Amino acid sequence: MGWAQKEVKMPAMKRGCHLVTHLIEREISSDLAQFRVGLAHIFIQHTSASLTINENADPDVRVDMETFLNQTVPEGRRAPWVHTDEGPDDMPAHCKASMFGSSVSIPISSGRLNLGTWQVRHPLLLP
């Protein structure tokens, strides 16, 4: 049994739902290669961004996810938020991030992340 740990620096991204599978895999592929079977635990160190696994076949999924988030968690004058020290979009970003969480676990098979055919990791980067 073995372990590997690596910190991956992600580039700054604008608000929205972004595909990051390729960025993460590029950084951890040499570590993954040493495992025939295992579990990758991926954690994002951010309080207003989160990770989720979702479909990658149709880009409309990302558009619809962002629409859902923006309708579910209001911003602007209608919003009931008290915490606005970092701007009017900060508390909505914390709420949206909390809905999905800060980590995902993905099986490792034959040295690769074993995602389903249409699955991909989305971090939901929210200002």
Side-chain angles (χ1 to χ4, degrees), residues 31-91:
D31 295 308
L32 287 175
Q34 64 184 307
F35 298 101
R36 194 170 151 269
V37 173
L39 187 65
H41 182 77
I42 301 170
F43 172 77
I44 189 166
Q45 294 178 314
H46 204 292
T47 60
S48 57
S50 62
L51 292 168
T52 187
I53 296 175
N54 211 319
E55 179 183 320
N56 182 33
D58 184 350
D60 288 344
V61 171
R62 283 181 282 156
V63 172
D64 290 343
M65 285 299 296
E66 188 160 355
T67 299
F68 163 76
L69 289 168
N70 291 334
Q71 289 182 356
T72 304
V73 183
E75 292 183 24
R77 293 193 172 122
R78 311 174 305 143
W81 318 123
V82 176
H83 171 69
T84 58
D85 291 347
E86 299 170 64
D89 59 352
D90 188 51
M91 192 60 214

Side-chain angles (χ1 to χ4, degrees), residues 10 13 16-24 42 44 49-66 69 96-97 100-104 106 115 118-126:
M10 300 296 291
M13 297 179 195
C17 299
H18 302 277
L19 304 178
V20 297
T21 305
H22 65 288
L23 299 173
I24 293 171
I42 301 170
I44 189 166
S50 62
L51 292 168
T52 187
I53 296 175
N54 211 319
E55 179 183 320
N56 182 33
D58 184 350
D60 288 344
V61 171
R62 283 181 282 156
V63 172
D64 290 343
M65 285 299 296
E66 188 160 355
L69 289 168
K96 293 172 186 178
F100 292 103
S102 58
S103 64
V104 293
I106 303 167
L115 291 165
W118 307 115
Q119 291 179 325
V120 67
R121 276 177 312 291
H122 283 264
L124 302 176
L125 300 178
L126 310 163

